[in-house]
Amino acid sequence: ESVTSLPSTPEFYSRVLRISFHPLAARLCVRSILRMASPEVVQRLEQRARQADEAINILKTQIQMLKQHAVTAEEQRLKKENEQLRQDINELKVKLTLAEIQNGVQQVYLPVRTATTDAPDAPAAAAAPTPAEPKPEQKQAQKGGKSDKAAGKGDKKEKKGGEKKKGGPPQEDKPVDVSRLDLRIGRILSVQKHPDADTLYVEEIDVGEEVPRTVVSGLVKHVPMEEMQDRIVIAMCNLKPAKMRGITSQAMVMCASSPEKVELLDPPAGSQPGERVTCEGYPGEPDPVLQPKKKVWETVQPDLLVTADKVATYKGAPFTVAGKGVCTSKTMSNVGIK
């Protein structure tokens, strides 16, 4: 029995759904529907099927896009966190290096690995020739030479011992105070950011010598670059030169310092590069170079203070430039000097 259209009642579709739970019944049902349906109904079913497929494909695409977006967002977040961690680590390394240099710890820098260092050692070209055994006469001469040298060493020891007895006890070391520091007036001729450290400046400072000194300072977060240019400063010039991130620093700029703030010390008006900064009551000439083992800087530094009147001092004696006046801090008081 054929019909021209499918029934549109809910009961009909309910029966179809119940039958469709069995695979064989579902196939028979579909065949029956197709035989009974008119071409227009089949066309509508095919159109709806295509629309359903398109909707499914759109949903799949949107789900895939959402997954990619979530992965990309997480990747960007992790990259940002890694970059921040890298910057924090670099800043901590710079602070550690500065602290070690100020405390006299010698900096040792490992060589950069290159293709030549990574390459395996080349095989030896040839074994070194075995030296010919000396003749008996030569052996005797060598023995005689060794005995002569031993006798010479004995004479030298006796001479040294005699000199020590004549010379008496060694002279006592100089007192450890601010006079051992080579504090001079300097002018910053140029300043730029360190190429490998975001928190460091690299300055060229005229301290009264023929050639300006290169100085590396961790002041980027405390002093703007425009305030550094052409600034008159106090530089300690006899710290042992040390490399900081690949650049050798030949002095240290003196600053009023606290955990929250760092500020350059100001020399008195009219100070000129090369003039020495001294403290009354502490005469003497500075060491050519402060030896880290003697701990001169570590001993003197705790007594370098900015007073309540903003005057830089050592044990209460002001930093003074002869004929010009005392050194001060612009805004800071009751803080240390580093």
Side-chain angles (χ1 to χ4, degrees), residues 63-273:
I63 291 171
Q64 188 65 24
M65 290 175 64
L66 288 173
K67 286 182 179 179
Q68 291 179 353
H69 179 73
V71 170
T72 303
E74 181 67 12
E75 184 179 358
Q76 290 178 350
R77 185 184 68 80
L78 291 174
K79 284 183 178 179
K80 189 175 180 181
E81 286 184 1
N82 288 341
E83 180 64 22
Q84 184 62 43
L85 287 173
R86 185 187 67 81
Q87 293 179 0
D88 293 344
I89 290 171
N90 286 338
E91 289 180 5
L92 290 173
K93 284 182 178 178
V94 170
K95 290 180 180 178
L96 176 60
T97 302
L98 286 171
E100 288 180 341
I101 290 172
Q102 290 177 352
N103 290 323
V105 178
Q106 185 176 4
Q107 302 295 303
V108 179
Y109 293 86
L110 298 177
V112 179
R113 294 179 65 86
T114 60
T116 55
T117 57
D118 292 339
D121 295 337
T130 305
E133 187 176 352
K135 295 180 180 179
E137 296 83 0
Q138 293 176 345
K139 287 183 178 179
Q140 189 64 30
Q142 289 175 359
K143 287 180 180 178
K146 288 181 180 177
S147 61
D148 293 342
K149 289 180 182 178
K153 286 183 180 178
D155 294 341
K156 288 181 181 178
K157 286 182 180 178
E158 289 178 3
K159 288 180 182 179
K160 286 182 180 178
E163 288 175 0
K164 284 183 180 178
K165 288 178 181 178
K166 290 179 183 178
Q171 186 179 3
E172 294 182 0
D173 292 336
K174 295 189 297 183
V176 179
D177 57 38
V178 71
S179 67
R180 304 278 294 270
L181 308 184
D182 187 4
L183 298 174
R184 296 188 224 164
I185 301 299
R187 180 189 294 274
I188 300 177
L189 302 177
S190 67
V191 58
Q192 59 184 348
K193 288 279 191 72
H194 194 295
D196 297 324
D198 296 335
T199 58
L200 297 179
Y201 284 134
V202 180
E203 307 112 31
E204 295 294 323
I205 302 181
D206 175 12
V207 291
E209 299 171 339
E210 292 183 3
V211 180
R213 293 200 182 198
T214 300
V215 180
V216 181
S217 305
L219 297 172
V220 171
K221 291 188 174 182
H222 305 285
V223 184
M225 186 180 294
E226 55 271 16
E227 291 186 15
M228 297 282 289
Q229 186 66 44
D230 294 325
R231 183 78 174 257
I232 299 294
V233 295
I234 303 170
M236 185 161 70
C237 299
N238 60 343
L239 277 178
K240 190 171 183 179
K243 278 191 176 182
M244 299 182 65
R245 304 301 292 273
I247 297 178
T248 301
S249 182
Q250 301 170 314
M252 182 172 70
V253 178
M254 305 302 289
C255 300
S257 178
S258 72
E260 297 79 22
K261 187 178 179 181
V262 177
E263 184 175 274
L264 294 171
L265 292 177
D266 289 328
S271 299
Q272 297 299 318

Side-chain angles (χ1 to χ4, degrees), residues 276-294:
R276 191 178 172 199
V277 178
T278 59
C279 296
E280 186 178 357
Y282 299 94
E285 293 299 317
D287 295 5
V289 178
L290 294 179
Q291 297 300 327
K293 290 182 180 180
K294 294 186 177 180

